[in-house]
Amino acid sequence: MAYDPDGADWDLLELAPDLNEGEEVSCLTVDSSPQSGRAVLYYGVERAVPGAQRAGESRIVRQDLETGERVVLAEYTGTAAAEVRGMVCAGGQIFWSMQTGAGAAICRYDDQSGQVSTLAEYPGASAPDLGGDDRFLLWYDPAVESRRLLCWDAEEDARFEVTDRSGDNLAFSGLQVGDGLTAWVERLDGEKTLFVYDLERQAYLWQLVVPEELEVARLQVNEDHLIFTDGDGADSALYTLSKDQRVLEQLELSGRTCGIFSCHLYEDEIWINDNQNGQVIVIQLDSGSYAGWDTDHDLVQAGLSPR
């Protein structure tokens, strides 16, 4: 299906993080959920420790997008140094995945109490990717080979296992939650099968057999749409599927090519970081149109968050 440009004129809001010499932003996310009550930017700052055989030093920063006020929520220095590998907002809280000298940990900051706590620890393991929405947090258990997919429910303050059979390709493409739904691929009766799962009900919604030649990556779902790319390269094709039709369609943009460094499904839009061409592209699935705007900066994967 081909999408046409809509001629919209978009502006980028540029924010300058508080960085010292030798520091860089390692990851970021934006929280505009009802629980937060405001638009807030969270980002991790990392500084390498020259000659050290341990993780670099890091801090977690919160920046109010209206006032510009910055607050340091956590710091990891000295013997407690750690690398922040991923960050996501879920259930009105900010979570981050970090690599320490002893292994991996998932930490959270509660805005109500102002406290940092550890949700999970994995000695000797690599820090897992995180995914989340206004209620749920998802991650793969890095301590086992079975690719157990775990979930934390903010409303119940409880953790449960979603599946232990999901394909490990998704662990390298990021985890996504939309409207309380998530999706993964596993083999069922010898066929590559895509499953959509309702986290609130802890129940399977539907499934679809995927052609063997498609390498499902960047898989994302919400109440109305599902998207994925065929492989995780910049030139990979983008596929969409609507809840009503459940027919896979390859998405094309009229009059242009698009290099996908990262993509994000948000309501009825797909946000694409096309850093090959120096653009951010927003595809509107319901209207069948798209808009794009130039950026002077080389956006990294962490640098695009529609939330």
Side-chain angles (χ1 to χ4, degrees):
M1 181 175 180
Y3 284 71
D4 299 316
D6 68 357
D9 185 16
W10 296 61
D11 291 322
L12 284 178
L13 173 64
E14 296 192 15
L15 300 171
D18 184 16
L19 299 177
N20 299 316
E21 185 177 356
E23 295 181 333
E24 62 181 19
V25 174
S26 58
C27 54
L28 63 82
T29 188
V30 174
D31 184 15
S32 58
S33 64
Q35 294 98 319
S36 68
R38 64 192 191 280
V40 180
L41 170 70
Y42 294 92
Y43 57 91
V45 177
E46 184 175 312
R47 182 175 70 87
V49 180
Q53 299 299 314
R54 57 181 171 82
E57 297 182 338
S58 304
R59 67 181 182 274
I60 307 297
V61 181
R62 179 182 67 202
Q63 181 173 342
D64 191 302
L65 294 182
E66 294 183 3
T67 66
E69 179 187 12
R70 299 188 187 98
V71 178
V72 177
L73 305 181
E75 289 189 273
Y76 303 98
T77 61
T79 57
E83 300 175 17
V84 179
R85 297 286 181 86
M87 183 178 292
V88 69
C89 293
Q93 300 181 42
I94 175 69
F95 294 82
W96 57 91
S97 172
M98 63 184 191
Q99 194 72 48
T100 69
I106 300 174
C107 297
R108 64 177 170 179
Y109 175 83
D110 189 323
D111 197 34
Q112 300 297 319
S113 66
Q115 298 296 312
V116 176
S117 60
T118 301
L119 185 68
E121 291 184 290
Y122 299 99
S126 298
D129 288 332
L130 305 177
D133 67 359
D134 294 342
R135 176 174 172 178
F136 299 101
L137 175 77
L138 276 183
W139 72 96
Y140 279 102
D141 183 347
V144 294
E145 296 180 357
S146 62
R147 310 315 301 175
R148 284 201 314 150
L149 183 58
L150 302 175
C151 180
W152 175 79
D153 184 339
E155 289 190 4
E156 302 295 333
D157 194 19
R159 186 187 325 184
F160 61 90
E161 179 182 290
V162 178
T163 181
D164 62 0
R165 304 189 307 274
S166 57
D168 61 1
N169 65 311
L170 298 185
F172 301 99
S173 301
L175 287 167
Q176 302 292 333
V177 187
D179 300 326
L181 307 180
T182 191
W184 67 85
V185 172
E186 64 181 73
R187 289 210 165 267
L188 179 66
D189 298 330
E191 294 184 306
K192 184 184 293 186
T193 307
L194 187 154
F195 291 88
V196 175
Y197 188 87
D198 187 321
L199 294 168
E200 181 177 4
R201 295 166 50 202
Q202 296 188 36
Y204 291 88
L205 287 186
W206 51 271
Q207 63 195 57
L208 178 76
V209 174
V210 180
E212 286 292 331
E213 63 270 17
L214 294 182
E215 181 184 348
V216 179
R218 304 184 180 107
L219 177 60
Q220 299 166 57
V221 65
N222 61 25
E223 283 187 341
D224 298 312
H225 303 284
L226 181 145
I227 69 168
F228 66 85
T229 58
D230 182 13
D232 56 6
D235 59 349
S236 54
L238 179 62
Y239 286 83
T240 66
L241 181 147
S242 67
K243 177 183 67 175
D244 299 328
Q245 297 178 346
R246 296 190 191 169
V247 176
L248 285 176
E249 291 185 333
Q250 183 175 344
L251 189 151
E252 299 177 351
L253 303 183
S254 299
R256 66 159 297 149
T257 59
C258 176
I260 303 175
F261 188 78
S262 67
C263 61
H264 308 263
L265 176 64
Y266 182 63
E267 296 181 351
D268 65 341
E269 299 174 344
I270 303 175
W271 291 51
I272 295 177
N273 174 2
D274 181 7
N275 71 344
Q276 277 190 337
N277 298 305
Q279 279 204 327
V280 172
I281 300 169
V282 176
I283 300 171
Q284 298 168 333
L285 293 171
D286 290 348
S287 67
S289 62
Y290 72 89
W293 67 95
D294 297 327
T295 171
D296 295 331
H297 306 285
D298 182 17
L299 291 176
V300 296
Q301 176 131 7
L304 183 59
S305 175
R307 288 182 57 81

